[in-house]
Every structure is written in structure tokens, then in C-alpha cells.
Amino acid sequence: MSEPRTLRIDIWSDVMCPWCLVGWGNLQKGLAQLEGEIEADIRWHAFELNPDMPREGEESAAHIARKYGSTPEQSKAVQGRMREAAQGAGVSLDYEGPAPEPQRWMWNTFKAHKLLTWAGETFGPEKQTELKLALFRAHFNERREIDDEGVLLDVATGVGLDRGEAEAALASEEWAHKVRTEERAAWDLNITGVPAMVVEHKFMIPGAQPPEAYATALRRVAEKVPA
């Protein structure tokens, strides 16, 4: 029996993006359909949905209403559809902390991207993915302030990263430059929304797709690209 084919998947994503978490869950389901046939080498890249978000953040419903002109009813309906999509993808957008449930806030994610870029380049894609999922959890399920350095360091140490090294990465201009480089790469690739997955450096899969769509797309890439 032949070994499974490994395809590189570069994912531009933001920690604030619920559809990015849904897309991740559905990608995993799609890869499960390809077990023994195709495996994925996944790298995460920086994309800020709200690069101008101030330090104090913005309450999520107010942010959506301001940015998209949505009424409270429309915003609630969208959140309901996102929650259903998340359940279907095997992920959760629901708060899991003590009652009463706090409001969901949107935060600036530049610092989080610095940590993710540092983790990926220093410790490899598996540790980067572990950190990414922990940041998703901190934001969606724990309602933590993702722009707060103390929170980011707690999340980093929670996945086994050294706190001092993570603190140095947050203070580093080198990692800030690398994040800006990744964001420019998204621009060059005409990525205007996330998630956006680029397979083998050339085949784009935009948006959060159903598992079957991911499985089909990856099979087609494997057929087109020489092993």
C-alpha cells in the first residue's frame, strides 16, 4: 500500500474570525475522508480583519452593526447561523465559562499574530496549530482579552511555550516585520477575506467550505501536482 500524499496548505486567518474556526473544523472532516490518501502540512499566516481596532476593543454586536450596518435582529440571526455551522464542523463558538455570560468583544490581533508567526518559524507547524487553536478557544469559549499581553503569555505557556521567550517575541520588531510581510503576501494573492487556504502555493480555496468540498479540492490538487 502506498504512503499517503502530503500537501502543503497555507491558511490566512484571524483569531477573531468565527468562519476561520468553522473552516478549520470542516477541513479536518475533509481530511478524515482522505485518510490514508492525503495528509496536510498546515501553516498559519497573519490576516487582520480589523487592523485599526483600538486597544480598548469593541463590543461584538456593536462592531458588526457599525461595520456592516446590521440591525440587532440581523446580527442575532447571523450569530445563530454561525453557531449552527460551528456545530456541524465539530467546533464551538459558545462561551464555556461561569455564569453570567459576558459580552463578546472584538480585539486587535496584531500581537497574537506575532506569537503565531514566532511559534511557527521557531517550533514548527504542529506547535503553531496548537497555539492557534488555543487562541481560538481563549477568544470564543473563554472570552479573554486577546490584545492583552498577559493573556497571550498565559495561552502560550498553556501549550508548552516558554513564557520568557514568548514575551521576547511580543517585544520583537523582527516578528512585527514578519507579520507585516505575511499580510502583504495576502494582498499580493488578492486575499480580501478569511479563511483563505492556498494549497501547494498555487491553488486557492476561499472561505469556509463543507468537508466534501475540501476533500474534492485536495484530491484534484494531488492529481495535478507531481509528487
Side-chain angles (χ1 to χ4, degrees), residues 14-143:
D14 195 7
V15 175
M16 295 290 106
C17 171
W19 294 112
C20 292
L21 183 55
V22 170
W24 164 259
N26 281 339
L27 174 63
Q28 297 311 297
K29 287 179 173 287
L31 287 167
Q33 296 177 16
L34 302 172
E35 185 175 0
E37 180 183 349
I38 294 173
E39 295 179 349
D41 172 20
I42 293 171
R43 320 293 176 96
W44 298 90
H45 301 283
F47 188 100
E48 292 178 88
L49 284 171
N50 301 289
D52 299 324
M53 180 67 69
R55 173 67 183 83
E56 63 271 18
E58 186 176 15
E59 193 275 320
S60 181
H63 170 78
I64 292 171
R66 178 184 60 80
K67 187 172 182 178
Y68 302 106
S70 304
T71 66
E73 293 75 17
Q74 289 170 328
S75 178
K76 187 175 181 179
V78 169
Q79 290 178 352
R81 288 195 295 272
M82 287 191 301
R83 186 171 286 108
E84 289 178 5
Q87 291 172 349
V91 298
S92 173
L93 301 173
D94 294 331
Y95 175 64
E96 297 175 4
E101 179 178 346
Q103 291 180 310
R104 180 180 293 169
W105 281 69
M106 304 294 287
W107 305 104
N108 186 291
T109 53
F110 187 74
K111 295 174 187 174
H113 286 304
K114 286 177 74 173
L115 270 189
L116 285 162
T117 303
W118 162 72
E121 292 198 18
T122 307
F123 302 103
E126 290 186 5
K127 182 58 69 175
Q128 186 189 40
T129 293
E130 188 179 358
L131 177 61
K132 181 76 173 187
L133 296 180
L135 287 168
F136 275 140
R137 179 173 179 78
H139 174 59
F140 290 110
N141 309 126
E142 299 170 356
R143 300 286 201 271

Side-chain angles (χ1 to χ4, degrees), residues 115 148-158 161 163 166-167 170:
L115 270 189
D148 182 85
E149 290 195 8
V151 169
L152 290 172
L153 293 174
D154 287 346
V155 174
T157 56
L161 296 170
R163 192 178 188 90
E167 189 171 14
L170 285 175

